[in-house]
């Protein structure tokens, strides 16, 4: 709720600033591209969203660590990135956004001439700095948490391949982390429509978000995926060795081995059918729905832009 309030305040505050400097009138009359106003208002929304997304990521991560610890009786304590590391990640994000969206699109380097800044440009510089800072921190902690879960998976005791519930924390972390990025893609998707001079920054940003979404989904489950594969190989090898021994005895004339071979063959088939990835139908459906929402926002943005241009 706090994030929504902050976004609304920033959104309407910038609208007032844009109206004061005449940017809204210039956009309506077609004197300037709509991307300038759209991008600035999007930044105002992200100012409220990103801190909340980071808070949810931390909350969900600690919850996942706790569930894994409880399910597998681990002694490993939940950890989070250090403040110093997050500070560095925020600085990198800030530098990246300033470079992509203020320095590259502006050959005149207005950024380095603050005495020429208008009120709306000053607001954009501040907002862009905050957004870059928070995206840097969010992206780093998302990847750090995913890699930490992968390392935890490598330290797990012997897995019960048929206990799929014990794998749920890894699935939930992947899907929930991806959801946070997909929401951000939905908010910013319209920027891909007529990005103007910011096309390089927009394409880099959108590509990065798509890659980050897939990383957020896959990395938390990569470790448990490897453990499942190794567990299946080990159990299948042991069962097949038993089948070979029982078969030799059966051929030698021991009829008592027949029932045991049937049971071993049934167990072999059951183990072979265990999926290598801990996905279930529900988690795949949720992720697909979330992804469609993000991609759908891009299509919707293009339609809205076309309708607005037709009306004007």
């Amino acid at each position: 709720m706090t994030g929504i309030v902050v976004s609304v305040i920033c959104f309407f505050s910038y609208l007032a600033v844009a109206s004061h400097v005449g940017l809204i009138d210039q956009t309506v009359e077609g004197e300037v591209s709509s991307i300038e106003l759209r991008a600035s208002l999007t930044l105002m929304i992200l100012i409220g969203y990103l801190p909340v997304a980071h808070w949810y990521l931390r909350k969900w991560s600690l919850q996942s660590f706790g569930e894994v610890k409880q399910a597998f009786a681990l002694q490993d304590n939940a950890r989070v990135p250090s403040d110093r590391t997050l500070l560095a990640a925020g600085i990198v994000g800030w530098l990246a956004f300033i470079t992509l969206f203020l320095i590259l699109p502006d050959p005149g380097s207005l950024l380095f001439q603050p005495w020429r800044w208008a009120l709306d440009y000053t607001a954009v510089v501040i907002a862009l700095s905050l957004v870059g800072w928070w995206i840097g921190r969010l992206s780093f902690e998302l990847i750090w948490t995913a890699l930490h879960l992968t390392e935890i998976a490598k330290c797990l005791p012997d897995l019960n391949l048929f206990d799929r519930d014990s794998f749920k924390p890894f699935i939930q972390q992947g899907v929930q982390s991806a959801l946070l990025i997909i929401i951000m893609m939905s908010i910013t998707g319209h920027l891909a429509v007529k990005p103007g001079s910011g096309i390089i920054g927009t394409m880099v940003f959108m590509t990065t978000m798509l890659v980050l979404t897939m990383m957020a989904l896959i990395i938390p489950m990569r470790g448990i995926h490897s453990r499942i594969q190794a567990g299946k190989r080990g159990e299948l090898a042991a069962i097949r060795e038993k089948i070979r021994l029982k078969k030799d005895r059966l051929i030698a004339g021991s009829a008592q081995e027949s029932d045991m071979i049937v049971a071993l063959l049934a167990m072999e088939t059951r183990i072979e059918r265990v999926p290598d990835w801990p996905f279930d139908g529900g988690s795949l459906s949720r992720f697909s729905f979330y992804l469609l929402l993000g991609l759908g926002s891009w299509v919707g943005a293009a339609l809205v832009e076309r309708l607005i241009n037709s009306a004007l």
Side-chain angles (χ1 to χ4, degrees):
M1 187 64 184
T2 302
I4 295 176
V5 172
V6 171
S7 294
V8 170
I9 292 174
C10 292
F11 185 91
F12 285 102
S13 297
Y14 184 80
L15 273 182
V17 170
S19 177
H20 176 72
V21 300
L23 179 59
I24 294 179
D25 292 337
Q26 293 173 353
T27 302
V28 172
E29 294 171 3
E31 297 178 10
V32 298
S33 173
S34 66
I35 186 63
E36 185 174 344
L37 182 60
R38 289 190 287 117
S40 300
L41 291 175
T42 300
L43 288 174
M44 303 306 153
I45 295 174
L46 289 176
I47 287 175
Y49 171 73
L50 288 170
V52 175
H54 188 250
W55 181 85
Y56 271 106
L57 175 64
R58 178 72 59 86
K59 175 185 176 182
W60 290 338
S61 300
L62 293 176
Q63 181 179 341
S64 295
F65 290 145
E67 291 177 357
V68 171
K69 182 178 178 181
Q70 181 178 1
F72 295 96
L74 298 178
Q75 300 300 319
D76 182 83
N77 292 322
R79 289 174 285 173
V80 296
S82 66
D83 292 338
R84 181 178 298 181
T85 306
L86 287 175
L87 173 63
I91 292 174
V92 171
W94 169 70
L95 290 173
F97 266 61
I98 291 296
T99 301
L100 287 173
F101 296 106
L102 290 181
I103 297 178
L104 289 180
D106 181 19
S109 300
L110 181 59
L111 177 67
F112 303 106
Q113 304 174 50
W115 58 88
R116 294 177 51 198
W117 292 3
L119 183 59
D120 59 326
Y121 188 82
T122 302
V124 168
V125 171
I126 295 173
L128 195 66
S129 299
L130 290 172
V131 169
W133 167 269
W134 277 109
I135 286 183
R137 292 168 63 93
L138 176 67
S139 302
F140 177 83
E141 182 153 345
L142 186 150
I143 296 174
W144 187 96
T145 301
L147 291 173
H148 186 45
L149 271 176
T150 296
E151 292 301 316
I152 289 178
K154 295 178 181 178
C155 303
L156 295 178
D158 293 338
L159 299 182
N160 179 355
L161 295 176
F162 306 118
D163 182 14
R164 307 298 290 181
D165 288 342
S166 62
F167 305 150
K168 283 186 177 180
F170 300 93
I171 303 173
Q172 290 175 352
Q173 184 65 30
V175 173
Q176 290 172 339
S177 298
L179 173 61
L180 295 175
I181 306 302
I182 290 173
I183 292 176
M184 185 158 54
M185 289 170 56
S186 300
I187 295 173
T188 59
H190 66 92
L191 298 179
V193 181
K194 296 184 179 180
S197 60
I199 185 171
I200 295 177
T202 301
M203 293 301 103
V204 170
F205 175 77
M206 292 301 178
T207 302
T208 301
M209 291 300 101
L210 285 172
V211 172
L212 194 60
T213 299
M214 298 311 299
M215 292 177 66
L217 177 69
I218 298 300
I219 293 179
M221 290 178 276
R222 190 181 60 178
I224 200 69
H225 163 66
S226 299
R227 291 298 307 276
I228 291 173
Q229 284 186 317
K232 286 179 63 176
R233 285 195 299 267
E235 293 197 23
L236 286 173
I239 287 177
R240 284 164 182 167
E241 178 63 19
K242 290 180 181 179
I243 291 174
R244 186 186 66 80
L245 294 174
K246 299 292 183 183
K247 184 176 68 174
D248 291 343
R249 293 175 185 174
L250 182 63
I251 293 174
S254 177
Q256 296 178 348
E257 304 296 335
S258 177
D259 292 341
M260 181 61 71
I261 289 179
V262 172
L264 289 172
L265 288 172
M267 180 59 69
E268 179 187 32
T269 302
R270 187 180 178 192
I271 292 175
E272 286 177 338
R273 290 177 178 174
V274 172
D276 289 344
W277 287 93
F279 290 116
D280 54 30
S283 60
L284 284 175
S285 299
R286 286 197 303 273
F287 176 73
S288 300
F289 176 71
Y290 297 154
L291 190 59
L292 286 175
L293 285 179
L295 297 176
S297 69
W298 297 7
V299 177
L303 293 175
V304 170
E305 178 77 9
R306 178 170 296 183
L307 289 173
I308 291 175
N309 290 336
S310 300
L312 297 177

